[in-house]
Structure formats: structure tokens, C-alpha cells
Amino acid sequence: MIELIIVSILLVLGYLVGSSREKKHYASIKEREAKLRHIMVFESKHVPASANSGELVYGNVVISTDYFKMFVAGLRKLVGGRLTTFESLLDRGRREAILRLKQEAVEIGASSVFNVRFETSSVSQGANGYIGSIEVLAYGSAVTQR
Amino acid sequence: MQYQNPTPDDSVNVSQEHPLKEFAQLLIGISLVSLLLIWLLSASVGWLARFVPFEYEQSLVGELDINAVGLKAVSGAEQAKLQALADRLSVHMDLPSGMKITVHYVDDETVNALATLGGNVVFFSGLVNKLDSEQSLAMVMAHEIAHVKLRHSIAAAGKGLTIGALLAFVTNVSGSSAGSFLLGNSSQLSVLSYSRAQESAADELAAAALYYEYGDVAGAIELFSFFSELENESLLNSTVPTLYRSHPFSDQRAEALRSLASQRGWPLSAKEALHKSG
């Protein structure tokens, strides 16, 4: 019975803290996206002729799950289906990585980033109940216009 | 070329479903399925256990060496008297042929007694020294003999194996710690509930044996009020809810005994037996 009580406390804590942090993160993401809207990011490899100089920029972020998310994911693993609790995690990770990429571009005076690619890796592999975390890397060539 | 960067709908990649709703659906769904599965397994194994011949149980355990599990079994006057009590009560309990009760007496302050495979019953000196009358001791003895007669030990062993196997499959194949936690708790609840049912069944048989040997069930009443006192002494013990108890609360056991006694016409005390007509 003690185990049940401990797990319940961890679940409540994980849910409350996790969802509050997620809301704050999304608010911050939206705010910065509005500010950095003038930096264009392209997936295309073709750099326009008007480009002056280019430099590799990247944005990197590591986000951890909380106990509640891992618990729901564990249950979902038994029956299959969409893991919706992790969708928001990856969404936040990718958008944050792009924002940091844009921030680096701003710092070198670039106005657009070309050939943007994503790399997602899972730190600690989330093996059998351990709290997993995801790392998202976004990289590209930042280009300053003449 | 002029590029524009409008603000897209940013909620496309995220599910709009509330996480708590998904959590509740999964939790309730999987809990129900696992409770059903475990109940089915327990019931069928419990039912099949009676077909395991008692000789198999005996050969499984062999000559039970209590000392091998770290308990000090003593042979002497106490053991002989307890064995004699068991033999006297066995006569009233209608045991199948070949079922023999072997009593072991352990010098340990644990206040407990248990019945295990092969008709072996273990009594701890802690319990024996705390009981005031032979009749309450006899109730404990009859209760343990009832467990042996009803094949509870082999049923419990079988259930332990099958549920353990189920748990192992889920844990190792799915790698889901949440799933095995849920299954583990469901099986714990199921095992405890079955354990309580077994205790009640053993109580009934034991009370009958007591009536046939002594003419009344005062020993049982005395035993349950003694257990009740012990339960109330420990804060930890008294606050554990029934769902998590291996035995029903002693008050409930006494209550069940009283209603059974009034149904079967068993006197609750020697005085009542004396005044009873016929």
C-alpha cells in the first residue's frame, strides 16, 4: 500500500509541475517566435545569389519528461496507440531548437538560414521506467545578405 | 524574391486531448482488464488445486526441516501436547484418508501460527504463551487444520506461480514499468481478497470442530477478542484498510462467528451450553 501512496504522490507532483512548466515554456516560445519572425528558415539547399557570407548555426535543446508522462507512456506501451503526452514534448523541443538557431543567426547579423535540418536523439534511452529526455538539434547555414 | 513569414496554426503537431483524460482512460481500462485476468487465473488455479493429490504435496515438501528456513524447531513436552491436540481435533474434522497433520513448535516470540504444504503446521511460542486457555489454542489449531483440509496452501502456491509468470511476461516483454506496477497492485489486491475468503472458510470449519470437541465456541470468541486487542495496540495495523489485509478484521470474524453459531445452534459459552435444553 505504501508503494501505491508514493506513486500517487509522484504522479500528482509530476502532473502539476510538468503541466505548469509546459504552459510557461509554450508562452515563452510564442513570444520569441513573434520577435524572431523576421529571420527566415528554409529547408532548401539553394542559397540565393545575393548571399554575402554564410556560417553554420545550430540550436540545441534537451527536455526531460516528468513522472506523469512516463507513467502514461508506460501504460500506452501495453495497448498501443498515439502517445499524446510525448507529442507536446517533441513539439516544444523542435520549436525551441529553431528559436535558438534563429537567435544565433541574429547574433551574426544574418537574415535567413538555409538547409535547415533536425536531429532528434533520446538521452538515456528511457529504458524500462527511467525518466527519459529528448535532445533536439536544428542546424543550418545562416546567410547574410549583401 | 520576397518571402513572407506568416504565423501558422501552431497546435497542429500537438494533440488537443487533455492528458488527464487519456490517463484516466488507460488506467481504468488496463486495471479492469488486469483485474479480470487475474481473477480468472486465481479462480481456475484455486479450483484445480483440489485435484493435486495430497501425496504430491507431501513429497514436494518432503520431511519439512523447519531449521533449514532459520527457525528453531524444538521437540519436547510442548510439541507433544500440541500434536496431541491436533490429533484430537482432526477426529472431528473429517480429514480425507492419508492426510496427516504434523505439528512443529518453534521457540520464537512471533505471535503467529501457520499451515503450509504437506499438512505441516507451525506454532510459535510467542502465540502459545499469550493465549490464556486451551480452547482458544484449540481454535487456532482447528483453524490451521482447516487450511490443510481445504488445500489452501497448494492453491496459494499455484496462484503465486501463475500470477508471477503473468507479471514476468508483462514486465519483460512490454518493458512497461507502469504496466507491471498496475498489474502487481491488481494481483496483490486479488490475492489478499482471496486470502480473506480462505480465512473465513477456515474459521467456519474450525468453529464446528470446537463445538464438537468442547460443546461450545467460547474459545473462538476469546481468540478473536484477543486478536482485536493486538490489532488496536498497533496504530499501523489498525489503520490498514480491509482491502489490504490478508485476514478480515477480528471484529468482523467474531461477528461472522456469532451469526454462524446462532444459525447452527452452537452455544457461545459453557454457561449457555449448560442451560441449553436437549
Side-chain angles (χ1 to χ4, degrees):
Chain A
M1 195 174 93
I2 301 286
E3 194 194 13
L4 202 68
I5 294 174
I6 292 176
V7 169
S8 308
I9 292 175
L10 285 173
L11 280 174
V12 168
L13 204 70
Y15 176 70
L16 291 175
V17 176
S19 62
S20 120
R21 290 198 70 82
E22 188 164 292
K23 277 201 193 69
K24 288 207 184 91
H25 192 202
Y26 267 122
S28 157
I29 284 174
K30 284 195 176 70
E31 185 198 320
R32 282 180 290 149
E33 274 176 356
K35 264 200 346 227
L36 290 168
R37 198 152 291 292
H38 61 284
I39 307 289
M40 306 279 190
V41 291
F42 298 94
E43 158 293 321
S44 154
K45 287 187 189 152
H46 175 80
V47 176
S50 57
N52 194 12
S53 64
E55 189 174 322
L56 174 73
V57 291
Y58 60 90
N60 198 15
V61 66
V62 183
I63 307 184
S64 169
T65 63
D66 53 64
Y67 197 88
F68 177 78
K69 279 197 168 68
M70 287 303 290
F71 192 86
V72 176
L75 292 182
R76 184 53 87 184
K77 264 202 266 192
L78 287 175
V79 292
R82 269 189 16 237
L83 218 47
T84 60
T85 53
F86 281 0
E87 280 174 6
S88 63
L89 205 71
L90 281 168
D91 183 50
R92 279 159 64 196
R94 293 200 185 105
R95 286 163 77 173
E96 180 69 38
I98 291 287
L99 283 171
R100 293 185 184 186
L101 174 111
K102 287 190 183 182
Q103 192 58 45
E104 271 212 18
V106 164
E107 271 154 34
I108 65 166
S111 56
S112 35
V113 189
F114 285 88
N115 200 23
V116 173
R117 300 283 178 260
F118 278 109
E119 299 237 338
T120 310
S121 69
S122 164
V123 179
S124 90
Q125 296 297 317
N128 204 22
Y130 289 133
I131 298 289
S133 45
I134 55 140
E135 182 212 12
V136 184
L137 172 73
Y139 60 93
S141 310
V143 153
T144 55
Q145 302 287 9
R146 213 172 293 146
Chain B
M1 184 141 140
Q2 271 295 88
Y3 285 102
Q4 289 182 322
N5 199 2
T7 317
D9 176 13
D10 61 2
S11 56
V12 170
N13 287 318
V14 187
S15 188
Q16 292 310 309
E17 203 180 70
H18 200 277
L20 282 180
K21 177 171 157 218
E22 185 184 8
F23 174 66
Q25 281 175 341
L26 281 172
L27 195 70
I28 292 170
I30 295 177
S31 298
L32 285 176
V33 170
S34 56
L35 278 170
L36 187 70
L37 198 64
I38 289 163
W39 178 80
L40 267 169
L41 269 175
S42 294
S44 37
V45 171
W47 183 79
L48 283 169
R50 71 200 62 193
F51 297 111
V52 175
F54 192 70
E55 294 80 54
Y56 282 18
E57 247 189 75
Q58 286 173 314
S59 63
L60 201 73
V61 172
E63 284 286 314
L64 181 67
D65 183 10
I66 292 283
N67 297 305
V69 294
L71 297 171
K72 285 195 312 285
V74 283
S75 56
E78 295 96 346
Q79 194 274 338
K81 290 203 183 97
L82 286 170
Q83 183 68 59
L85 180 66
D87 296 335
R88 271 200 344 257
L89 290 169
S90 301
V91 170
H92 299 295
M93 297 195 75
D94 209 9
L95 297 177
S97 68
M99 194 176 275
K100 201 187 163 313
I101 307 291
T102 315
V103 181
H104 305 266
Y105 180 67
V106 172
D107 186 14
D108 192 281
E109 57 185 26
T110 314
V111 181
N112 208 349
L114 58 100
T116 183
L117 297 167
N120 290 292
V121 171
V122 179
F123 268 71
F124 290 92
S125 62
L127 176 69
V128 175
N129 293 334
K130 279 222 154 117
L131 290 175
D132 285 333
S133 72
E134 187 200 272
Q135 291 192 14
S136 46
L137 190 66
M139 178 61 185
V140 181
M141 181 63 79
H143 178 96
E144 301 308 329
I145 298 174
H147 277 316
V148 175
K149 179 180 175 183
L150 294 170
R151 312 297 302 283
H152 287 163
S153 302
I154 190 75
K159 271 183 241 140
L161 275 170
T162 42
I163 292 178
L166 177 69
L167 222 61
F169 290 145
V170 171
T171 310
N172 292 318
V173 171
S174 76
S176 161
S177 72
S180 43
F181 163 78
L182 209 63
L183 206 67
N185 271 276
S186 308
S187 50
Q188 189 190 23
L189 286 177
S190 164
V191 162
L192 287 171
S193 127
Y194 199 84
S195 169
R196 287 193 296 277
Q198 285 183 337
E199 296 300 325
S200 300
D203 278 346
E204 264 190 47
L205 279 189
L210 224 65
Y211 169 68
Y212 291 127
E213 174 73 9
Y214 297 107
D216 60 69
V217 292
I221 303 284
E222 201 186 315
L223 184 74
F224 292 147
S225 62
F226 167 67
F227 283 162
S228 220
E229 266 175 46
L230 282 182
E231 275 161 24
N232 295 329
E233 262 169 39
S234 155
L235 183 68
L236 194 68
N237 194 334
S238 50
T239 48
V240 174
T242 304
L243 216 59
Y244 278 94
R245 304 187 78 95
S246 60
H247 290 59
F249 274 109
S250 298
D251 296 338
Q252 289 169 346
R253 293 170 83 178
E255 197 49 51
L257 175 75
R258 281 177 210 274
S259 61
L260 185 70
S262 71
Q263 261 176 42
R264 305 261 179 99
W266 299 335
L268 292 173
S269 66
K271 197 163 71 177
E272 200 180 309
L274 201 68
H275 293 304
K276 195 174 132 187
S277 56

